């Protein structure tokens, strides 16, 4: 059985005539940089998220850097975030000369633990970056309460969470800035790199747009040092076609997650907690698994794709060695890094494919004599 972690080709084929028409229209126009499709997508994304301002950029990584630059993050500053995320979250902090200050995760959600944030705040704290990991919104109300009490801006890293909601509100619409990635594997993905920053603050939006254009509002007049970070017109055109399908895509992922939950019942794994509002959009379907490394090796032998996001927490990465992180600093994060494994999850995933995947997992635990450990699908 042919299996893929993400089936971007299958998704494209289902809307091929629309995508092809949009791409050819851009090719015919010759407006490959800052064509009209970029502005149209910005307006449509702002409307979708319920915010007044959206600015396209070249990647989700750039979105984070642009947001921090606009908020004045620089050398000597501190930015509070999670050590359990893709490197870009903290990488951009370090590139700006600031220091990432890590806060451990809630073991049930994999997101930053709001109860631990206040203790991490110092006079040098310039921003807080919660990550909506795997497509589940971080617990934003208590995070915002801490931030407002101390007048610290919140930057939402929603690279994995386009379309997720928190208590009825779209992620990206709650903090000072929301940062989006359109990497091809995302729930709303383009056909290359792409990103966006969104905000309710008009002045902040104007500054982020300027920073993304070499620090310039008027051509050849540069107010600050900026970036060359533009969303290509071709990518914007593709995203405009896909945006109306996003609700259907996320519903398909939720349905697939529910099937996984049932098929894995009784096995020594912990299925992801969808949360009380059920608005998780399952960019990844991530388990905690006993004997994770053995299971990963078995799935590889069986030809079943899987991912480990992320095997080494950021505080233990060589790139951040100067910060002096050591094992034991963030126990919930380190435990998660040793246990997590993600199964194939995409809009084209079939019940037959899921059955094949979960049958292999069951065979692994039967072979190792661990099924009798009982149902561990909830902690």
């Amino acid at each position: 059985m042919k299996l893929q972690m993400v089936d971007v080709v299958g998704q494209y084929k289902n809307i091929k005539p629309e995508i092809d028409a949009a791409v050819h229209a851009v090719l015919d126009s010759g407006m490959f940089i800052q064509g009209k499709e970029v502005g149209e997508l910005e307006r449509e994304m702002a409307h979708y998220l319920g915010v007044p301002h959206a600015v396209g950029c070249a990647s989700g990584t750039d979105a984070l850097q642009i947001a921090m630059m606009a908020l004045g993050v620089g050398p000597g500053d501190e930015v509070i975030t999670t050590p359990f995320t893709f490197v870009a979250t903290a990488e951009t902090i370090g590139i700006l000369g600031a220091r990432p200050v890590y806060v451990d995760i809630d073991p049930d959600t994999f997101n930053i633990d709001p109860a631990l944030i206040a203790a991490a705040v110092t006079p040098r704290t310039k921003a807080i970056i919660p990550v909506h990991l795997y497509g589940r919104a971080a617990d934003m109300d208590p995070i915002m309460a801490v931030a407002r009490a101390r007048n610290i801006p919140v930057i939402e890293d929603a690279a994995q969470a386009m379309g997720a909601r928190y208590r009825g509100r779209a992620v990206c619409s709650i903090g000072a800035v929301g940062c989006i990635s359109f990497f091809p594997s995302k729930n709303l993905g383009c056909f290359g790199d792409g990103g966006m920053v969104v905000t309710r603050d008009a002045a902040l939006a104007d500054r982020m747009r300027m920073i993304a254009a070499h620090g310039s509002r008027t051509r050849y007049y540069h107010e600050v040092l900026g970036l060359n970070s533009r969303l290509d017109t071709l990518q914007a055109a593709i995203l405009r076609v896909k945006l109306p399908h996003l609700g259907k895509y996320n519903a398909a992922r939720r349905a697939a997650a529910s099937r996984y939950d049932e098929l894995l019942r009784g096995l020594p794994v912990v299925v992801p907690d969808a949360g009380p509002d059920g608005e998780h959009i399952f960019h990844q379907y991530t388990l905690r698994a006993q004997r994770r490394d053995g299971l990963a090796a078995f799935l590889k032998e069986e030809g079943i794709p899987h991912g480990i996001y992320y095997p080494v927490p950021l505080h233990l990465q060589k790139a951040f060695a100067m910060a002096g992180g050591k094992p034991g600093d963030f126990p919930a994060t380190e435990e998660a890094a040793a246990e997590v494994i993600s199964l194939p999850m995409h809009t084209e995933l079939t019940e037959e494919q899921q059955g094949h995947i979960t049958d292999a997992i069951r065979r692994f635990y039967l072979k190792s004599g661990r099924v009798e450990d009982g149902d561990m699908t909830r902690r």
Side-chain angles (χ1 to χ4, degrees), residues 37 62 106 156 168 177 191 221 234 298 308 313 342 378-379:
E37 298 285 353
D62 277 6
D106 177 334
E156 296 180 66
V177 183
F191 289 5
Y221 292 81
L234 278 167
F298 181 80
I308 296 175
S342 298
R378 289 280 179 253
R379 287 196 160 202

Side-chain angles (χ1 to χ4, degrees), residues 11 14-15 18-19 187-188 239-251 347:
Q11 187 183 76
N14 283 331
I15 53 172
E18 297 171 77
I19 293 286
N187 293 43
L188 181 63
L239 289 163
R240 288 192 68 206
V241 171
K242 294 180 76 174
L243 180 58
H245 296 275
L246 181 58
K248 176 181 67 178
Y249 291 161
N250 286 340
T347 56

Side-chain angles (χ1 to χ4, degrees), residues 207-290:
R207 185 167 180 80
M208 290 192 292
R209 192 177 294 279
M210 174 185 67
I211 287 168
H214 294 288
S216 172
R217 289 186 176 91
T218 303
R219 195 174 187 185
Y220 303 130
Y221 292 81
H222 306 275
E223 301 175 36
V224 298
L225 295 178
L227 303 174
N228 175 22
S229 186
R230 295 175 292 218
L231 179 63
D232 290 340
T233 308
L234 278 167
Q235 304 300 350
I238 290 164
L239 289 163
R240 288 192 68 206
V241 171
K242 294 180 76 174
L243 180 58
H245 296 275
L246 181 58
K248 176 181 67 178
Y249 291 161
N250 286 340
R253 287 173 176 266
R254 289 192 188 99
S258 293
R259 288 196 298 270
Y260 270 137
D261 289 353
E262 290 303 314
L263 291 166
L264 292 164
R265 194 167 297 281
L267 297 179
V269 299
V270 182
V271 301
D273 184 346
D277 55 15
E279 293 181 321
H280 193 321
I281 48 86
F282 293 98
H283 172 63
Q284 301 290 351
Y285 182 88
T286 302
L287 305 172
R288 286 179 178 267
Q290 290 189 15

Side-chain angles (χ1 to χ4, degrees), residues 132-195:
H132 304 300
L133 196 68
Y134 303 145
R136 174 170 174 165
D139 192 359
M140 292 301 295
D141 282 350
I143 293 171
M144 294 302 298
V146 171
R148 289 190 185 105
R150 294 159 178 79
N151 197 31
I152 301 169
V154 171
I155 300 170
E156 296 180 66
D157 182 341
Q160 299 182 5
M162 189 62 227
R165 302 181 73 80
Y166 173 78
R167 297 181 180 175
R169 291 167 286 171
V171 301
C172 292
S173 71
I174 303 168
V177 183
C179 298
I180 300 164
S181 169
F182 297 126
F183 189 78
S185 66
K186 305 302 185 185
N187 293 43
L188 181 63
C190 59
F191 289 5
D193 275 313

Side-chain angles (χ1 to χ4, degrees), residues 189-200:
C190 59
F191 289 5
D193 275 313
M196 188 168 280
V197 285
V198 302
T199 184
R200 297 182 181 280

